[in-house]
Amino acid sequence: MGEPHAVQPDQKVIEDLMAFGAHDFKKCFQCATCSAVCTLSNNDFAFPRKQMIAAQWGLKDKLMGDPGPWLCFYCGECSKNCPRKANPGETMMALRRYLTSAYDWTGLSRLMYSSAFWEIGILALVSAIVVALFTLPQSFGFGLLSRSGAAPLHTVMLDKFAPVGMVDMGDRIMALVLSFFLLTNAARMFYYLTRDQKIPARLYITQLPSLILHAATQKRWNGCKDSEATKNWIRHLLLVTGYVTMFTLVVVFLPWFQVNDSSIHWTSFLGYYATTVLVGATVWMLIDRIRQHGEMYQFSHLSDWLFPILLFLTAVTGIGMHLLRVNDLPMATYVMYTVHMAIAVPMLVVEVPFGKWAHLLYRPLAIYVAAVRDKAAQCSSLEVAPAGPVPA
Amino acid sequence: MDNGNLASNNGRSLLVIGGGIAGLTAALEAAEAGCSAIIIEKSPSLGGRAIAFNQYFPKLCPPTCGFEINFRRIKNNPRITVLTQAELEEITGSAGDYEATVKLSPRFVTNSCTVCGACAEACPAERPDGFNYNLSKTKAAYLPHKMAFPAQYVIDRNACKKDCSACVDACRYGAINLEQQVERKKFHVAAVVLATGWAPYDASKITNLGFGCYPNVVTNVLLERMAAVNGPTAGKILRPSDGKEPATVAFVQCAGSRDENHLPYCSSVCCSASLKHSTYIHNLYPDAQVTIFYIDTRTPGFLQDFYAKVATNGHLKMIKGKVGKVEEDPETHDLIVTAEEVLTGTKLTQKFSMVVLAAGIVPQTDGIPLKVARDQFGFAVNGTAGIFAAGCAKRPEEVSATVRDATGAALKALQCAVRSAHHG
Ligand SMILES: Cc1cc2nc3c(=O)[nH]c(=O)nc-3n(C[C@H](O)[C@H](O)[C@H](O)COP(=O)(O)OP(=O)(O)OC[C@H]3O[C@@H](n4cnc5c(N)ncnc54)[C@H](O)[C@@H]3O)c2cc1C
Ligand code: SF4
Ligand code: SF4
């Protein structure tokens, strides 16, 4: 048990949590059924009971220093068994939203999570900028369309409409920008998770493989023992492979991926894989969410809808563009290309560092820090163990 | 005591439904104040749930203590009519002036019974023993239990073998009449006391706790019977799977109670009951490790002293944190209990040789043809003129509170009867 200290409840945090989708957490009476039934919760990180009381009291510091919410994969067993119907599973989901905004130093995340107007507004704004970049005439100073002369309308010449070199550069700038925000936010998260902790530096190195392993496989999900867990995990893993393939094609291999004319290139086959998986998985997830299938889909926040919808639209417009291009329909291809970009770019720029997608880094980071803290606790308990017999 | 033949019909009678401690108390208090009382009890003997216990908290005396005195008071009081295997069929009229029709199911054994037991010896058929919560069996001709009042055998015709009359031949007193039929009696009563008590919550509905799946998960009422000398194991608490003495026992508090998925209310007695049960175990096996997993220990009033006294036992551990899961080691039939220890914040998985679920109290107010207001959980609420609820039919409460409650209900019913006598 920790030292007794005065707790300062923070009404603002409580209101925030409610705006972020936590509805019933005030009903919790701290029975701890939830932590007991949770198969992921263990001796060192027992959750979600502790998060429930931290939420009830609005203990911001405690919450920001807690990897717990990210260790949960929302099987919903806690909510099913909670005797107060306090929905601890949904509270953990809301906490992830809340923490995403709390770790974001720009304040944009908070703005978008707590207001549908701003969320849609900012996505629309980025969209509009993308459309402008492609369509506004040169007289405005940009307008990729006419930079290399007018794109031909008798046959597809994508390079004329959107010169691959420029798009490639744009891609990389975008990747840099979003990485900058995501990494600085993650650094803040790392700071909160590790401050006040006595952790020997070497543990950060020895536990590094867990960061990579969990980022790559999300295998922790399979530790959930509900009937949907394996399905959910595999489906998510497929989605990730599709997403990573697509992201790599666009950011690293664009000069090969963006084919100029109506020919089929080897990169197209990777694209087929990625888009099939993306469309399949997002549609399946959306159906589950619409039908409220399983505990995980009982409650949906706007951010939960935008995530799969944007991904789905990106994939579908990508497919559309491919079909139009190989059928040599120039104008339609250029239009579809613009639409595709107008969806994909805001999705990445907005959702990755400031939205639900931040979990792609937050989750493995939290699992990693949890493992480090766990190891550190083991080491320190060894140190205080009595060393041999007491001299007489 | 009157057996129903002389039922007082002067308009100053009370009808008491249920012959548990609440019903007995209400009838006795009213009768000793000069009013007639008719107790109708569904089962073949009086005493309700409490008479099946091994001991009572907080004094830990056996139920014989209270019930023997009450039975004697009833026997000596001509104003009390006791009808067993009796249920209310219809009631008409209003406060001060009711006419009740009571249906009496046949007992097949008459007043001539001397409790010699020859019928049961001769009987070839068996039936599950409800008094022992079906942990054992009786013959179809049976005495409800050793202390049964009225002390008279009963025949469960549903359990009888076809065309058998072995008991009739065996009884030297001619006390058996297999031709008895359902009877109906009408009573003119001024007020009704509803004292139909409680039943244990069906613990098999709490699927995560394993009752009904794992033999060594039992409920508190089963443990009472195991601990009772007149129970199915003659007072030994043994693991159902192998008959071994348990070395470690976990109690799961609020099994079903305080749970929106089961019984949203606190059953109020199960914390004290589990503390009492730990004393049963330690009396038999002083070294047994008993752990009580609780949300809060609710032992209000004088029960707090009982808690403090029991908790001094070094082999009793109280852990704050509700059990979320009970699993079984299929080899040993030991049970693996998972909980979070709230005070230290650590998760705990521990093996026990036996698990006892502190299942809660469900009011028995269903299916009675009486217009009585009930709350959302089924507990009777006072508010209908002339009908007064008492005991666990009204709220979960221990015996001493039940007695106080029933005394109050008797007074209210008496007032109703006196008022009607003045007007009538
Ligand atoms: C596990 C456990 C242990 C307990 N241990 C203790 C203890 O140690 N000390 C203590 O003080 N309290 C204890 N209690 C509480 C105690 O059991 C109750 O206070 C007591 O039984 C209440 O008496 P009652 O008359 O209201 O109900 P009951 O005892 O249930 O009696 C009701 C009677 O009404 C009859 N009946 C029901 N429906 C009808 C009907 N429709 N028509 C006619 N008759 C009907 C029933 O057959 C029964 O005989 C314990 C409770 C539990 C759950
Ligand atoms: S199970 Fe429900 S009431 Fe119990 S601690 Fe968890 S959230 Fe709170
Ligand atoms: S008395 Fe104790 S075990 Fe029973 S419901 Fe209340 S708190 Fe739970």
Side-chain angles (χ1 to χ4, degrees):
Chain A
M1 263 174 273
E3 287 295 303
H5 63 282
V7 173
Q8 208 39 262
D10 188 338
Q11 183 63 28
K12 188 84 200 73
V13 176
I14 298 166
E15 281 163 14
D16 265 3
L17 283 172
M18 284 157 65
F20 283 55
H23 301 295
D24 301 305
F25 64 109
K26 290 184 182 174
K27 294 184 191 154
C28 167
F29 64 7
Q30 289 291 299
C31 71
T33 306
C34 47
S35 307
V37 295
C38 173
T39 49
L40 291 177
S41 151
N42 59 28
N43 207 348
D44 308 287
F45 288 96
F47 56 84
R49 178 194 59 83
K50 292 177 192 178
Q51 287 72 18
M52 293 302 281
I53 195 154
Q56 284 179 330
W57 286 75
L59 304 181
K60 187 172 179 178
D61 281 355
K62 197 164 192 81
L63 288 168
M64 287 184 74
D66 181 7
W70 304 99
L71 306 181
C72 154
F73 280 78
Y74 204 171
C75 69
E77 282 300 301
C78 53
S79 295
K80 247 192 264 166
N81 286 284
C82 170
R84 295 285 302 149
K85 291 200 196 304
N87 272 313
E90 183 55 15
T91 307
M92 292 292 265
M93 185 71 221
L95 280 172
R96 289 190 285 275
R97 293 180 198 123
Y98 171 76
L99 288 175
T100 303
S101 77
Y103 295 139
D104 169 39
W105 56 270
T106 64
L108 276 172
S109 176
R110 205 189 116 80
L111 193 62
M112 289 190 285
Y113 264 124
S114 45
S115 143
F117 172 80
W118 282 107
E119 169 104 61
I120 307 271
I122 291 179
L123 284 168
L125 180 72
V126 180
S127 251
I129 293 171
V130 172
V131 174
L133 282 173
F134 282 106
T135 55
L136 285 190
Q138 206 169 9
S139 51
F140 283 90
F142 41 93
L144 292 166
L145 180 60
S146 30
R147 172 114 332 161
S148 45
L153 291 179
H154 56 91
T155 183
V156 173
M157 284 184 79
L158 205 50
D159 266 354
K160 287 271 175 199
F161 175 71
V164 70
M166 293 191 79
V167 178
D168 195 24
M169 195 164 69
D171 261 359
R172 284 164 199 219
I173 292 170
M174 177 189 77
L176 273 178
V177 169
L178 67 87
S179 301
F180 169 74
F181 286 113
L182 182 64
L183 288 173
T184 46
N185 287 344
R188 266 166 62 82
M189 174 183 187
F190 183 79
Y191 163 75
Y192 281 104
L193 293 185
T194 53
R195 74 171 176 174
D196 306 331
Q197 304 282 331
K198 284 196 209 81
I199 299 173
R202 71 186 154 80
L203 288 179
Y204 287 115
I205 315 271
T206 57
Q207 294 304 311
L208 211 51
S210 91
L211 176 67
I212 295 155
L213 179 74
H214 285 284
T217 65
Q218 305 98 49
K219 77 182 180 78
R220 191 180 159 81
W221 201 332
N222 207 31
C224 291
K225 290 289 170 263
D226 63 308
S227 55
E228 300 284 303
T230 307
K231 172 197 112 180
N232 286 338
W233 171 51
I234 303 275
R235 182 169 72 182
H236 183 268
L237 197 58
L238 274 174
L239 186 74
V240 171
T241 61
Y243 172 68
V244 169
T245 310
M246 196 49 94
F247 194 82
T248 316
L249 284 172
V250 170
V251 174
V252 185
F253 297 108
L254 195 78
W256 295 271
F257 185 51
Q258 177 170 321
V259 182
N260 181 35
D261 52 24
S262 58
S263 67
I264 297 215
H265 197 256
W266 64 270
T267 49
S268 299
F269 295 101
L270 286 171
Y272 293 156
Y273 170 75
T275 46
T276 310
V277 166
L278 289 179
V279 170
T282 50
V283 167
W284 192 3
M285 285 173 174
L286 282 167
I287 291 174
D288 277 358
R289 192 170 282 286
I290 290 165
R291 292 202 183 141
Q292 297 190 305
H293 175 80
E295 281 293 330
M296 188 166 78
Y297 294 118
Q298 288 310 302
F299 308 92
S300 296
H301 189 261
L302 174 66
S303 53
D304 302 322
W305 290 112
L306 283 177
F307 180 52
I309 289 175
L310 290 176
L311 198 50
F312 168 76
L313 290 177
T314 304
V316 167
T317 52
I319 295 168
M321 196 188 73
H322 179 75
L323 291 176
L324 295 170
R325 179 177 63 75
V326 297
N327 285 301
D328 204 14
L329 298 166
M331 194 58 199
T333 304
Y334 306 149
V335 170
M336 192 59 92
Y337 185 93
T338 311
V339 174
H340 178 63
M341 287 302 211
I343 295 165
V345 173
M347 170 183 81
L348 291 170
V349 173
V350 175
E351 292 291 326
V352 174
F354 308 116
K356 188 160 171 164
W357 275 17
H359 80 267
L360 69 89
L361 184 51
Y362 290 176
R363 246 191 216 290
L365 185 61
I367 296 173
Y368 162 69
V369 174
V372 169
R373 277 168 56 169
D374 190 9
K375 272 273 173 312
Q378 284 172 20
C379 296
S380 71
S381 71
L382 282 180
E383 275 161 30
V384 296
V390 184
Chain B
M1 185 183 95
D2 174 286
N3 281 329
N5 307 321
L6 301 165
S8 161
N9 230 349
N10 62 4
R12 290 181 65 186
S13 305
L14 306 182
L15 181 70
V16 177
I17 309 176
I21 189 65
L24 298 188
T25 306
L28 273 166
E29 296 300 334
E32 287 174 7
C35 183
S36 307
I38 301 135
I39 302 175
I40 57 171
E41 164 58 50
K42 190 166 68 173
S43 76
S45 61
L46 301 184
R49 301 275 167 191
I51 206 165
F53 293 158
N54 176 42
Q55 292 175 341
Y56 290 153
F57 61 74
K59 288 191 188 154
L60 301 183
C61 47
T64 33
C65 285
F67 279 108
E68 266 176 3
I69 300 169
N70 279 321
F71 291 159
R72 199 163 333 118
R73 282 165 78 194
I74 289 179
K75 254 190 237 166
N76 296 338
N77 198 320
R79 292 196 195 88
I80 298 182
T81 304
V82 174
L83 300 171
T84 52
Q85 294 180 290
E87 281 176 271
L88 182 67
E89 196 165 60
E90 199 194 352
I91 190 161
T92 54
S94 58
D97 183 23
Y98 287 111
E99 187 170 81
T101 310
V102 175
K103 178 182 156 198
L104 297 157
S105 301
R107 189 178 189 106
F108 305 107
V109 178
T110 68
N111 289 347
S112 316
C113 174
T114 62
V115 202
C116 72
C119 52
E121 248 165 65
C123 176
E126 282 189 329
R127 61 183 275 284
D129 185 359
F131 188 73
N132 282 336
Y133 292 94
N134 301 346
L135 287 176
S136 61
K137 288 190 166 160
T138 68
K139 292 292 183 61
Y142 68 100
L143 187 66
H145 57 96
K146 288 224 176 72
M147 262 180 76
F149 181 90
Q152 203 174 327
Y153 270 70
V154 200
I155 293 171
D156 182 348
R157 288 294 273 156
N158 293 327
C160 283
K161 293 232 148 87
K162 221 178 156 225
D163 301 325
C164 170
S165 57
C167 52
V168 180
D169 304 334
C171 181
R172 278 180 285 150
Y173 306 95
I176 295 175
N177 173 7
L178 296 181
E179 305 307 315
Q180 270 185 4
Q181 297 294 323
V182 169
E183 264 187 81
R184 286 186 172 74
K185 283 194 169 158
K186 284 193 192 299
F187 296 97
H188 186 211
V189 295
V192 180
V193 174
L194 182 72
T196 46
W198 60 279
Y201 184 65
D202 177 3
S204 63
K205 287 188 190 156
I206 320 163
T207 47
N208 50 327
L209 299 181
F211 178 72
C213 301
Y214 311 135
N216 294 330
V217 178
V218 299
T219 61
N220 45 7
V221 287
L222 295 178
L223 197 79
E224 285 285 356
R225 291 314 298 149
M226 290 180 173
V229 189
N230 67 352
T233 49
K236 284 269 168 200
I237 295 174
L238 302 170
R239 288 176 17 125
S241 72
D242 51 15
K244 287 204 185 118
E245 300 176 356
T248 49
V249 182
F251 283 85
V252 180
Q253 293 312 109
C254 301
S257 302
R258 301 178 73 191
D259 188 334
E260 301 278 339
N261 304 305
H262 301 280
L263 306 174
Y265 51 86
C266 168
S267 291
S268 102
V269 290
C270 16
C271 280
S272 305
S274 292
L275 288 164
K276 172 182 75 171
H277 294 157
S278 82
T279 70
Y280 293 177
I281 294 168
H282 285 134
N283 285 342
L284 291 168
Y285 319 119
D287 293 331
Q289 276 299 334
V290 176
T291 308
I292 298 182
F293 291 91
Y294 65 93
I295 303 178
D296 317 279
T297 8
R298 292 191 161 173
T299 49
F302 62 85
L303 292 170
Q304 190 66 20
D305 301 330
F306 175 64
Y307 174 21
K309 206 170 87 196
V310 175
T312 54
N313 188 319
H315 293 297
L316 171 64
K317 197 167 167 192
M318 303 291 295
I319 293 185
K320 183 170 168 67
K322 193 177 165 184
V323 171
K325 243 185 304 193
V326 176
E327 291 152 307
E328 190 192 49
D329 174 345
E331 302 250 304
T332 58
H333 294 294
D334 283 343
L335 301 154
I336 302 144
V337 166
T338 309
E340 187 203 0
E341 225 180 314
V342 172
L343 298 182
T344 58
T346 49
K347 207 164 157 178
L348 165 154
T349 307
Q350 207 178 319
K351 255 193 189 176
F352 291 93
S353 28
M354 223 170 136
V355 166
V356 184
L357 306 185
I361 276 180
V362 183
Q364 298 300 290
T365 55
D366 256 349
I368 303 164
L370 193 65
K371 277 204 199 86
V372 59
R374 301 191 301 165
D375 68 11
Q376 77 257 48
F377 313 123
F379 288 103
V381 181
N382 281 345
T384 318
I387 300 171
F388 306 97
C392 289
K394 191 161 101 193
R395 71 168 82 86
E397 55 191 3
E398 80 281 3
V399 169
S400 62
T402 300
V403 168
R404 288 195 300 275
D405 193 18
T407 308
L411 177 61
K412 285 282 170 200
L414 267 177
Q415 291 170 345
C416 203
V418 169
R419 232 176 278 135
S420 77
H422 283 314
H423 296 146

